[in-house]
Amino acid sequence: MKSISQSPTDPAFVQNPYAFYERARATCGDLFYWDDYALPCVADYATANALFRDRRFGREIPADQRVEHPPHQAGFWAIEDHSMLELEAPRHTRLRGLVLRAFTSRRIRELAPEITALAHDLCTNIGVDEFDLIKEFSEPLPILIISKLLGVPASHTDDMVRWSHAMVGMYQAGRTIDQERAAADAATEFADFLRGYIDHRRNRPADDLITSLIAAEEDGEKLSPDELIATCILLMNAGHEATVHTIANGVKTLLETNTQHTALAPDAINQTVEEILRFDPPLHMFTRYVYEDCEVNGHPFKSGDRVAILLGAANRDPARWDRPETFDPTRKIQPNTSFGAGAHFCIGAPLARLEMACALPVLFEHFPNLRLAQTPEYAPIYHFHGQNRLMLRR
């Protein structure tokens, strides 16, 4: 396996990681060793899709590799250790099954009118000629919707955004001890808030997701208090962070490519959403542990090894997509890696797609002459790929 170096905090890489992916693919092939991460990486769609589905690879840390986390990180891991994102069967299977009993497709579909109405309200409240799309639109929309879905009062959304941002810092390349402390503190505060609110919902059930999660049961099994808190935080963070960046990245792409508004018409919007997800996804790396000795593309893996799946690279694999570096909203829909695949396929994917399909047409209906006011800049938070702000002129 050939190796290649690229600092994930290098400013040029942060603004355009795709150039590195192309260079790595051309130099090393679809499976290469990224020196800066000390990890083998998958850059093609076929292998990425296969590893997502292969039960010999998983998210959960093997028992013989588990270490005691530093005390200053304790609050973060108290939540993360119960998150189904970091677990495998049989516990992951049980948790996911229980969550799906509450997080139903019907419940999500019924949110469409509310998402559309909220998008209109947010646009109506933008009273200036130049504004930050993230602050005014792409951040409040998903956090208010996921809060509504869970049943958490909108008055707490500012706190939840702050907690979510801090917790995501644990995944940042080159994170500092201060960021780790902030993530642990945020996780503790988030958990304390939810613990009290869940207790409130046990005594006063309502038509919301938290009540449904409390009631969800399968073969006599229910979510434990820790699992319930971790699940709510996962749904809140995943349902907010990724969608914020997907909407902003999508608007940036639509404007930079001078995409016609016909791409947002009812008969075209789903294709446009899928192309946005493929072209510039909000998450670029997921890692997997190897659970048994095996071989991938001629490379031997040993049990206990780790491998990184590069979603942004796989989504631009020329073996799967013609002219993958070109944004084409008329492109035929076919699966990409933005939501993963297999047992860990993103449980919030239908909601994210619905939010984009409802919100983007509303934004351009209100602002048909929308344009970039400043050159967009991505925040230095690899593997999250999004902007701190996106300044637009109406």
Side-chain angles (χ1 to χ4, degrees):
M1 184 187 301
K2 293 183 179 180
S3 64
I4 190 168
S5 296
Q6 173 60 65
S7 168
T9 60
D10 175 70
F13 170 81
V14 168
Q15 297 310 312
N16 181 20
Y18 302 104
F20 165 67
Y21 300 151
E22 292 173 11
R23 178 165 60 93
R25 203 193 312 271
T27 305
C28 307
D30 291 330
L31 187 64
F32 64 89
Y33 191 84
W34 192 341
D35 288 333
D36 304 77
Y37 276 102
L39 283 175
C41 296
V42 172
D44 69 303
Y45 174 81
T47 308
N49 184 57
L51 291 195
F52 275 134
R53 300 173 185 276
D54 193 330
R55 302 309 292 269
R56 296 174 300 178
F57 297 80
R59 289 285 298 173
E60 191 165 0
I61 302 174
D64 60 356
Q65 290 193 34
R66 292 174 189 164
V67 297
E68 187 172 343
H69 298 293
H72 71 275
Q73 297 180 8
F76 177 83
W77 293 106
I79 302 302
E80 201 73 356
D81 285 344
H82 297 283
S83 171
M84 65 178 172
L85 181 65
E86 307 298 338
L87 300 172
E88 292 297 328
R91 193 177 175 193
H92 173 268
T93 306
R94 181 181 69 84
L95 288 178
R96 189 178 178 94
L98 288 168
V99 172
L100 285 173
R101 285 178 174 267
F103 200 58
T104 63
S105 57
R106 176 191 61 80
R107 187 189 291 271
I108 294 169
R109 286 195 306 270
E110 290 175 349
L111 287 170
E114 189 157 356
I115 296 170
T116 301
L118 176 58
H120 279 295
D121 288 344
L122 292 171
C123 289
T124 300
N125 289 334
I126 297 174
V128 293
D129 289 335
E130 189 172 306
F131 62 96
D132 176 9
L133 181 81
I134 293 176
K135 179 181 178 182
E136 303 293 341
F137 189 81
S138 71
E139 185 169 77
L141 188 142
I143 193 66
L144 288 169
I145 292 300
I146 195 67
S147 297
K148 168 72 174 179
L149 185 62
L150 282 165
V152 177
S155 58
H156 291 280
T157 55
D158 287 347
D159 285 334
M160 289 186 289
V161 168
R162 176 172 56 83
W163 294 328
S164 179
H165 286 340
M167 291 182 71
V168 167
M170 282 293 285
Y171 299 102
Q172 182 172 339
R175 69 177 188 250
T176 65
I177 290 180
D178 285 344
Q179 288 172 317
E180 292 175 349
R181 289 196 178 101
D185 291 343
T188 299
E189 292 175 21
F190 209 159
D192 287 345
F193 163 72
L194 282 172
R195 189 172 290 108
Y197 195 73
I198 288 168
D199 287 344
H200 172 72
R201 274 288 171 257
R202 288 187 192 279
N203 297 321
R204 300 184 64 180
D207 184 20
D208 57 38
L209 189 55
I210 286 181
T211 300
S212 296
L213 288 169
I214 292 170
E217 185 171 0
E218 185 173 13
D219 297 330
E221 291 280 348
K222 287 195 172 189
L223 293 167
S224 71
D226 287 338
E227 290 170 345
L228 184 54
I229 290 170
T231 297
C232 289
I233 290 178
L234 173 62
L235 292 173
M236 186 70 71
N237 288 357
H240 160 245
E241 292 285 348
T243 308
V244 170
H245 297 314
T246 305
I247 292 174
N249 291 358
V251 171
K252 168 186 175 291
T253 298
L254 291 170
L255 295 176
E256 287 182 334
T257 57
N258 295 313
T259 299
Q260 297 298 307
H261 291 184
T262 52
L264 304 176
D267 61 346
I269 186 61
N270 290 334
Q271 280 181 271
T272 300
V273 166
E274 288 306 304
E275 181 67 350
I276 287 171
L277 288 164
R278 180 200 71 83
F279 185 76
D280 200 20
L283 298 171
H284 275 225
M285 177 191 283
F286 265 113
T287 57
R288 291 290 188 268
Y289 289 95
V290 182
Y291 293 147
E292 61 181 76
D293 296 355
C294 59
E295 186 176 288
V296 175
N297 293 2
H299 175 76
F301 284 97
K302 296 290 186 182
S303 177
D305 287 350
R306 291 176 73 210
V307 58
I309 302 172
L310 302 182
L311 313 185
N315 280 358
R316 295 202 183 187
D317 180 0
R320 181 165 176 82
W321 287 280
D322 180 44
R323 299 179 299 113
E325 74 288 349
T326 300
F327 178 76
D328 180 6
T330 67
R331 194 185 297 273
K332 179 183 176 182
I333 293 177
Q334 56 181 339
N336 57 63
T337 65
S338 294
F339 292 120
H344 281 281
F345 181 78
C346 178
I347 203 168
L351 177 58
R353 286 185 168 114
L354 181 65
E355 287 175 336
M356 293 178 66
C358 292
L360 290 176
V362 171
L363 178 69
F364 283 88
E365 175 188 336
H366 277 262
F367 309 121
N369 298 315
L370 200 62
R371 58 197 185 277
L372 295 171
Q374 296 179 13
T375 301
E377 288 190 7
Y378 290 93
I381 313 177
Y382 192 78
H383 337 314
F384 280 94
H385 180 64
Q387 301 149 84
N388 282 328
R389 65 177 188 166
L390 181 61
M391 297 305 299
L392 303 180
R393 184 170 291 277
R394 54 193 296 179

